[in-house]
Amino acid sequence: MGNKCCKSGPDEDALEKERLKRLRKKRHRARIQAARKIQAWWRGTLVRRTLLAAALRAWVIQNWWRAVLCRRVLQRRQDLLKIYVIREEAAVRLQSWVRMWQCHRRYCHIWHALCILQVPKGCFALQTDDHLQDQYDVPPGQPEFHIEILSV
């Protein structure tokens, strides 16, 4: 019986082979699991890189679009300001024409009245005193007008 103890039998070889086979299987499973973890990490890295690139591209497009909108708003404001200035200039010009016409009418009225009231030989000798100006309410020499520019 002492022989059996020291001698390895077919059962022990088979057990040793089975143990080695299980160990290889276990190592193989561990390698596969490690490979899956590495692949998952790599796929996640690729996805995050792709998402980051897409986010950067979207950010660039959004900045460009905001700049376009800002330029449109600025151009619209400038156009409205130009229209406003043109209208104001036209109003000022029209008002000056009306004032000029009124002054001319007053002058003609006063001149005609003076010619009638004066002696026949001095028809063109007009008196220029302040009494005449006060009597007919002639406005001062420089017209006054105010322009207000409102922001758009």
Side-chain angles (χ1 to χ4, degrees), residues 44-80:
T45 302
L46 290 177
V47 167
R48 283 187 293 278
R49 187 184 302 166
T50 304
L51 289 176
L52 177 63
L56 287 175
R57 287 184 188 112
W59 180 73
V60 167
I61 291 169
Q62 287 170 352
N63 282 340
W64 169 80
W65 182 246
R66 286 184 190 120
V68 166
L69 290 180
C70 200
R71 280 193 298 267
R72 282 184 184 175
V73 167
L74 185 62
Q75 184 65 42
R76 179 81 174 134
R77 283 181 184 167
Q78 287 175 344
D79 292 344
L80 288 174

Side-chain angles (χ1 to χ4, degrees), residues 3-71:
N3 252 350
K4 272 189 166 183
C5 215
C6 294
K7 182 181 173 191
S8 56
D11 289 335
E12 287 185 23
D13 285 338
L15 288 177
E16 184 65 26
K17 284 182 184 179
E18 188 64 33
R19 189 177 67 79
L20 287 174
K21 190 176 179 182
R22 275 187 268 137
L23 186 61
R24 276 191 227 122
K25 250 186 178 182
K26 188 176 180 181
R27 284 183 185 163
H28 183 67
R29 273 191 243 125
R31 282 185 185 159
I32 288 176
Q33 190 174 8
R36 283 182 182 156
K37 284 185 181 182
I38 291 171
Q39 287 173 351
W41 169 81
W42 182 246
R43 281 193 300 265
T45 302
L46 290 177
V47 167
R48 283 187 293 278
R49 187 184 302 166
T50 304
L51 289 176
L52 177 63
L56 287 175
R57 287 184 188 112
W59 180 73
V60 167
I61 291 169
Q62 287 170 352
N63 282 340
W64 169 80
W65 182 246
R66 286 184 190 120
V68 166
L69 290 180
C70 200
R71 280 193 298 267

